[in-house]
Amino acid sequence: MQLKSFILILVLYCSAYSTQAQYLNIGGITVQATSTLYVDNGEAKSDACDQLYNISFKDLILAHNIYRDGLLDVSQIYQLSAINRYMDGTTTIMQFSALSGISGLTYKYTIKTDAAGKLISLVCTDSSGYKTTYKGHLTELKTFKQ
C-alpha cells in the first residue's frame, strides 16, 4: 500500500512540475492587461485599461498595443534583451528588458504566473524606477522562430 501511495505522489509531483516547467521554455506569450495597479501619493489605486503585450522571447520582440474606447490608439515594437526565466516555488517568473526605438529608453518587465498558467502580474518599471502593475490574462504566443 505504501508503494502505491508513493508512486501516486511521484506521478502527481512530476505532472505538476512539467506543467510549471513548460512556462520556462515557452517561446512567447501574449498578455491582455485589463487593469493597472499603482501607488499615487502613498495610496494604492486601480484603473481599468485595455492593452495587449505580444512578447516573443525567441524573436526578441515585444509588440505593445494600447486601445482606447475599443479602438487601437498606440502600437509600438520594442527589442528584448536580458531575458531571465526561473521558478520561485510554484510561481514562474519571466524577466526581461525592452528597448524603445523611439525614445531610446529601456523598460524592465517582470511577469509572474501561477502553477496553472494564470497571470499573477505583469510589472513594468520605467527608467526613473516608477512601477506599474498590470492584471489580466495570458496565452501562449506562436512565435516566428520555432
Side-chain angles (χ1 to χ4, degrees):
M1 188 66 171
Q2 289 178 341
L3 182 60
K4 286 182 183 180
S5 297
F6 175 74
I7 291 172
L8 178 62
I9 291 170
L10 183 63
V11 167
L12 291 174
Y13 175 79
C14 290
S15 296
Y17 182 78
S18 67
T19 300
Q20 293 170 9
Q22 73 179 350
Y23 295 103
L24 290 178
N25 299 321
I26 200 164
I29 61 171
T30 297
V31 175
Q32 178 186 14
T34 56
S35 64
T36 59
L37 307 171
Y38 58 96
V39 177
D40 185 24
N41 292 326
E43 182 182 347
K45 295 187 177 185
S46 173
D47 286 326
C49 71
D50 190 3
Q51 299 185 29
L52 202 60
Y53 291 85
N54 292 298
I55 305 151
S56 175
F57 298 115
K58 289 193 175 208
D59 302 309
L60 301 177
I61 293 174
L62 161 65
H64 182 205
N65 299 298
I66 301 173
Y67 297 86
R68 300 218 194 281
D69 300 321
L71 299 173
L72 184 62
D73 186 49
V74 178
S75 183
Q76 185 174 346
I77 300 290
Y78 297 81
Q79 184 178 25
L80 300 186
S81 64
I83 298 168
N84 185 22
R85 296 183 276 188
Y86 60 94
M87 296 293 299
D88 184 8
T90 60
T91 302
T92 302
I93 300 173
M94 297 167 262
Q95 296 176 318
F96 57 92
S97 296
L99 173 64
S100 168
I102 294 174
S103 67
L105 297 175
T106 298
Y107 300 87
K108 296 186 184 301
Y109 288 88
T110 301
I111 299 172
K112 294 182 181 180
T113 63
D114 66 14
K118 293 183 181 180
L119 181 69
I120 296 172
S121 64
L122 180 151
V123 178
C124 176
T125 306
D126 67 19
S127 58
S128 71
Y130 183 79
K131 294 182 181 185
T132 303
T133 301
Y134 296 91
K135 297 287 189 174
H137 311 281
L138 68 86
T139 188
E140 182 176 0
L141 174 69
K142 292 175 175 41
T143 61
F144 180 79
K145 292 181 182 176
Q146 296 297 309

